Amino acid sequence: MPHRGAVWDGSVFGGDPVVGLDAIATFMNAPGHAKAHHTTNIVVSEGPGDEVRARSKGLSLLEGGGIASVVYADDLRRTDDGWRISRRVIHLTWPHPF
């Protein structure tokens, strides 16, 4: 049975996926996390039932002035509150993956 909670998978950076909205919010506000995210080139395709897939490119401003370039692979699900990202997997394109 698939997991029904939100998942943020940044394991490309060396950690484990973060599960649940509260845990994701805490992680995003932790020291060392990127200070800004800019998303572009969003492509959406149909998925099964009330789900869609989205792929986009992103730039993140890192502490110390660095920049990371990523590709986001998102699964979205229609809910009573509208469309929500149910899973995000990040693929690092720059700097080169670890």
Side-chain angles (χ1 to χ4, degrees):
M1 179 175 192
H3 190 277
R4 300 301 290 179
V7 177
W8 184 92
D9 186 346
S11 56
V12 68
F13 299 109
D16 293 327
V18 180
V19 179
L21 293 179
D22 290 340
I24 293 169
T26 298
F27 177 81
M28 294 293 175
N29 287 305
H33 188 77
K35 299 304 172 195
H37 301 88
H38 305 279
T39 305
T40 184
N41 298 46
I42 302 166
V43 177
V44 179
S45 58
E46 290 185 38
D50 280 345
E51 296 182 9
V52 296
R53 307 284 184 261
R55 299 298 175 264
S56 58
K57 297 192 177 201
L59 291 174
S60 295
L61 304 177
L62 307 175
E63 285 188 356
I67 297 175
S69 175
V70 301
V71 173
Y72 296 119
D74 296 331
D75 296 334
L76 293 90
R77 182 176 298 122
R78 186 190 312 261
T79 72
D80 291 340
D81 295 321
W83 288 95
R84 300 291 185 260
I85 296 175
S86 59
R87 180 176 188 84
R88 167 166 278 180
V89 179
I90 300 171
H91 304 278
L92 185 64
T93 58
W94 182 259
H96 295 289
F98 304 112

